[in-house]
Amino acid sequence: QVQLEESGGGSVEAGGSMRLACTASMGFESINFRTLAWYRQAPGKQRELVASITRDGVTNYASAVKGRFAISRTSAMTTSFLQMNSLKPEDTGVYYCNMARGSLVYWGHGTQVTVSS
């Protein structure tokens, strides 16, 4: 069974930085993920895509984080990282990692990121 585990959340002041990581534990399975992504959900809002990266290294960012956040991954596509700089209070939320290959989609349990002003 595939499990995703996020790490690196916490609290930071506005203008600070934080790095999230997501690692897949696949047990006896081996899934050749095509896309790794990070989503976030702020209180009272829908979950939204923050950033994604494909096996080919193509990245995509939400306009709200472009230029401040950077997504990267290991070559094996089993770990993704989200480097978050110049954090703003509106970046506060639960951050979820996501790994996908076609109809196979896996989610982490989420990690809280709180940015204080």
Side-chain angles (χ1 to χ4, degrees):
Q1 183 176 356
V2 177
Q3 293 184 326
L4 305 187
E5 182 172 356
E6 300 106 338
S7 61
S11 298
V12 67
E13 292 186 350
S17 297
M18 189 177 290
R19 181 176 169 91
L20 305 181
C22 173
T23 299
S25 298
M26 290 185 273
F28 293 104
E29 297 185 64
S30 180
I31 297 178
N32 189 15
F33 291 113
R34 296 301 186 189
T35 304
L36 309 184
W38 287 89
Y39 288 73
R40 69 185 180 190
Q41 187 165 18
K45 295 188 177 180
Q46 290 188 330
R47 191 175 298 188
E48 62 177 359
L49 175 67
V50 176
S52 64
I53 185 168
T54 68
R55 176 165 287 276
D56 295 331
V58 177
T59 57
N60 180 49
Y61 294 94
S63 57
V65 307
K66 200 171 292 185
R68 299 188 297 121
F69 290 12
I71 188 170
S72 59
R73 47 104 173 112
T74 58
S75 57
M77 292 287 282
T78 56
T79 300
S80 68
F81 305 95
L82 185 66
Q83 178 66 42
M84 305 184 292
N85 300 323
S86 302
L87 282 160
K88 304 176 180 180
E90 50 263 45
D91 294 319
T92 294
V94 179
Y95 283 68
Y96 298 89
C97 71
N98 166 291
M99 297 189 181
R101 179 184 179 181
S103 60
L104 292 175
V105 180
Y106 297 91
W107 291 91
H109 293 296
T111 184
Q112 177 70 43
V113 172
T114 302
V115 184
S116 59
S117 57

